[in-house]
Amino acid sequence: MKEKVLMEDIVNLCKQYGFVYQGSEIYGGFANTWDFGPLGVELINNVKHAWWKRFVNEDFRTYGVDAGILMNPRVWEASGHVESFGDPKMDCKKCKQRFRADNLIEEYSNGEVAAEAMSNEELEKYIDDNHITCPNCGGFDWTKIRKFNPMFKTSRGTLENDADTVYLRPETCQGEYVNFLNVQRTSRAKIPFAIAQIGKSFRNEITPGNFLFRTIEFEQMELQKFCHDKDSMEFYEDYKKRAMDFILDLGLDKEKLRYHDHDKLAHYAKAACDIQYKFPIGWEELNGIHHRGTWDLSRHSEFSGKKMEYQDPETNEKYIPTVIEYSIGVGRLTLALLCEAYDEEKLENDTRIVMRFNPVIAPYKVAVLPLVKKYHKDKAEEVFKILSKEFTCTYDDTGSIGKRYRRQDVIGTPWCITIDDNTINDNTVTIRDRDSMQQITLPIDEVAKYISDKIKF
Ligand code: GAP
């Protein structure tokens, strides 16, 4: 077991084996953009699928949507993003680098101080009192805080004078709020119910970095629970628990997770909390659970002129529902899962790197390995054909069997299936377990059940 996993261990492994590449790499890259490679895309698809299954498919009161990235610009006026969504930026006068004041404090305090909720004056005072220096040059000569709107702008229209400013959405949840009436009506949904979606968001972050942790383009998995205010704290607590259970079930270590309740709240909120994970860079937010009161639906009512109300079919009470939001970034969660899975295990004669992913998210569940290509290739292809109908499989016929096992360990494949003379003679295969390295023999037609029994989620 490696004592301390470093971010560079993860970045190197991801680049070397095809989890994640630098974006636009052949052009020298494009800072803080990343492309998921063959293994990465399987991994994030598995993460998204696990989330969707748990929070949407297994909850008959949650409905999915997939709203547009480009929305009517009025949406962003209603949400407050145009007017007041602004990151508090500070420049180092010495090296001219720009930073987010709240990020500086969060990094300095190892996630102990919820700087997001501080006013500009409080941020400046904290930085002054604690003599927080520039992470780039070590200087202590800051400008005053100024607001910087991180929404990416573009324009629509074919003529210059038609051009209207539109924004790339900075969060997915607005697509859930604006479809509240549609979903309620078409699904005949009764409160309490939730709307969920997974999709891309874009933020022109001042201090992106730390690999997938903070990027300018990222995916979010967000869910809004619409409920009566009297029940809202119960749902808030429920989502705090469900959010924690989900990441524990995916394999994050309990010791590296903690709730971080916000003590400063928005004027409309009754409660807010993050779940933090101990990344190689320290304790940082992994996801958020926020009680948002009736703020979002009230604002969309005001700006759209549509009544975002619900009428209780039993009591006839009309009200604007309260919202509990649960939000988590796909890339950020994937980074946590990569850090958690990484292991360097000392063996008798060497050390192996093994990614101990929960099989549910492992990019490939099975590797099919013909022991001797010349003799066992046809049978191995036959087995691959059978198993690939059920699981993501890979195939490897080069090098010694020991080397092939190591190659699968490092990409986290839970089971290697070796095809040898016994497979040809009596239809049995050897299954090698990634974590224990133990091997068992099974008839081919029992393999699929053996594996699927182990990847229930
Ligand atoms: N709708 C609420 C919302 O967007 P947020 O705290 O800004 O709240 C929610 O974002 C989650 O999205 C975060 O907890 C994090 O997992 C992820 N996230 C936010 N900004 C990100 C970025 N620049 N890069 C990667 N993930 C990000």
Side-chain angles (χ1 to χ4, degrees):
M1 179 85 158
K2 192 165 187 206
E3 274 299 296
K4 189 166 165 34
V5 178
L6 305 174
M7 193 66 100
E8 66 189 59
D9 295 329
I10 305 301
V11 177
N12 291 342
L13 182 137
C14 283
K15 288 184 175 172
Q16 188 177 346
Y17 293 98
F19 282 92
V20 183
Y21 309 122
Q22 173 69 63
S24 317
E25 192 173 319
I26 60 166
Y27 287 94
F30 187 53
N32 300 298
T33 64
W34 301 98
D35 294 344
F36 289 99
L39 297 177
V41 73
E42 296 295 343
L43 179 62
I44 60 167
N45 282 347
N46 292 339
V47 168
K48 289 187 278 184
H49 183 255
W51 189 87
W52 194 261
K53 180 172 178 292
R54 174 71 61 94
F55 289 98
V56 183
N57 298 149
E58 289 178 12
D59 183 346
F60 65 89
R61 285 201 153 129
T62 299
Y63 303 88
V65 294
D66 187 0
I69 286 173
L70 300 177
M71 302 180 81
N72 187 314
R74 291 278 286 163
V75 168
W76 307 111
E77 290 172 32
S79 68
H81 285 81
V82 171
E83 192 192 342
S84 60
F85 182 53
D87 291 335
K89 71 173 166 83
M90 284 180 116
D91 294 345
C92 169
K93 288 191 200 158
K94 229 172 125 197
C95 69
K96 313 287 178 223
Q97 285 272 326
R98 179 162 290 172
F99 296 92
R100 261 175 69 170
D102 52 343
N103 290 167
L104 284 173
I105 293 176
E106 274 156 15
E107 268 151 41
Y108 171 82
S109 70
N110 200 10
E112 294 289 344
V113 176
E116 229 176 57
M118 286 174 151
S119 68
N120 286 356
E121 291 68 36
E122 287 167 328
L123 291 167
E124 279 168 356
K125 184 165 179 334
Y126 189 96
I127 287 171
D128 242 27
D129 290 352
N130 292 280
H131 200 83
I132 301 179
T133 52
C134 170
N136 186 48
C137 72
F140 183 68
D141 195 3
W142 297 108
T143 61
K144 293 294 249 185
I145 288 176
R146 276 164 292 170
K147 283 278 182 195
F148 169 79
N149 193 317
M151 277 203 292
F152 280 105
K153 278 185 197 170
T154 183
S155 54
R156 64 161 296 172
T158 49
L159 298 171
E160 277 287 301
N161 56 6
D162 278 341
D164 272 342
T165 298
V166 288
Y167 302 96
L168 300 188
R169 68 181 176 202
E171 56 179 9
T172 55
C173 60
Q174 299 302 328
E176 294 154 21
Y177 300 134
V178 301
N179 281 300
F180 166 73
L181 293 176
N182 282 338
V183 172
Q184 195 274 317
R185 178 175 50 82
T186 55
S187 304
R188 294 179 295 118
K190 287 205 182 96
I191 275 190
F193 72 90
I195 305 182
Q197 80 169 318
I198 300 178
K200 289 261 172 151
S201 294
F202 303 82
R203 293 183 197 173
N204 194 2
E205 296 276 10
I206 298 166
T207 39
N210 290 315
F211 195 35
L212 304 176
F213 181 80
R214 187 173 288 113
T215 50
I216 56 177
E217 171 180 345
F218 54 100
E219 268 186 297
Q220 289 183 304
M221 306 190 278
E222 296 203 289
L223 175 155
Q224 316 298 317
K225 183 89 175 183
F226 300 97
C227 58
H228 194 290
D229 196 57
K230 69 176 168 37
D231 304 320
S232 59
M233 284 311 288
E234 202 181 309
F235 286 117
Y236 173 75
E237 293 301 333
D238 181 45
Y239 273 101
K240 269 177 80 166
K241 178 168 183 325
R242 291 177 64 183
M244 182 64 96
D245 288 347
F246 174 67
I247 48 185
L248 286 171
D249 291 350
L250 281 186
L252 295 187
D253 177 1
K254 192 157 96 244
E255 301 299 315
K256 293 197 205 130
L257 289 167
R258 66 184 185 192
Y259 289 110
H260 182 254
D261 293 314
H262 294 195
D263 36 44
K264 288 215 162 185
L265 298 174
H267 64 90
Y268 47 78
K270 278 195 190 151
C273 141
D274 302 332
I275 295 178
Q276 296 182 333
Y277 177 71
K278 197 171 181 194
F279 287 93
I281 49 170
W283 286 99
E284 294 285 353
E285 174 184 333
L286 179 60
N287 67 211
I289 301 109
H290 295 147
H291 183 300
R292 300 192 53 88
T294 56
W295 168 257
D296 305 279
L297 292 184
S298 303
R299 291 280 289 189
H300 285 302
S301 268
E302 186 188 331
F303 281 72
S304 68
K306 295 274 183 300
K307 278 195 175 153
M308 306 292 270
E309 279 181 350
Y310 175 76
Q311 181 162 19
D312 188 299
E314 271 145 43
T315 63
N316 284 332
E317 183 192 0
K318 264 192 189 171
Y319 58 92
I320 298 181
T322 289
V323 166
I324 305 301
E325 175 178 65
Y326 159 44
S327 176
I328 182 162
V330 175
R332 199 172 286 188
L333 173 57
T334 301
L335 176 61
L337 292 164
L338 284 161
C339 297
E340 191 72 55
Y342 186 93
D343 191 15
E344 286 176 16
E345 186 183 6
K346 287 225 176 331
L347 303 172
E348 227 171 278
N349 298 319
D350 85 270
T351 301
R352 67 168 184 154
I353 296 180
V354 51
M355 294 298 282
R356 298 188 192 275
F357 292 123
N358 179 332
V360 169
I361 56 162
Y364 298 125
K365 311 298 184 231
V366 172
V368 177
L369 315 175
L371 186 63
V372 182
K373 189 171 160 186
K374 197 158 71 175
Y375 303 123
H376 308 124
K377 175 176 168 291
D378 291 347
K379 193 69 181 172
E381 286 181 6
E382 202 183 302
V383 172
F384 181 90
K385 226 176 188 170
I386 297 170
L387 294 179
S388 60
K389 295 239 179 283
E390 315 246 355
F391 318 104
T392 45
C393 297
T394 182
Y395 183 95
D396 188 1
D397 59 13
T398 33
S400 72
I401 197 75
K403 284 215 171 99
R404 283 185 267 166
Y405 285 156
R406 290 286 180 278
R407 281 204 289 268
Q408 296 305 320
D409 290 343
V410 80
I411 62 172
T413 309
W415 296 286
C416 286
I417 299 202
T418 308
I419 311 301
D420 55 20
D421 286 347
N422 290 336
T423 322
I424 292 168
N425 296 334
D426 63 11
N427 264 327
T428 60
V429 293
T430 307
I431 305 182
R432 180 224 186 227
D433 182 273
R434 176 195 68 199
D435 296 334
S436 67
M437 297 187 285
Q438 298 293 311
Q439 302 188 8
I440 58 160
T441 303
L442 273 188
I444 292 175
D445 56 10
E446 289 179 24
V447 173
K449 181 168 180 334
Y450 173 84
I451 290 172
S452 60
D453 282 350
K454 293 184 186 301
I455 50 179
K456 298 257 179 286
F457 186 70

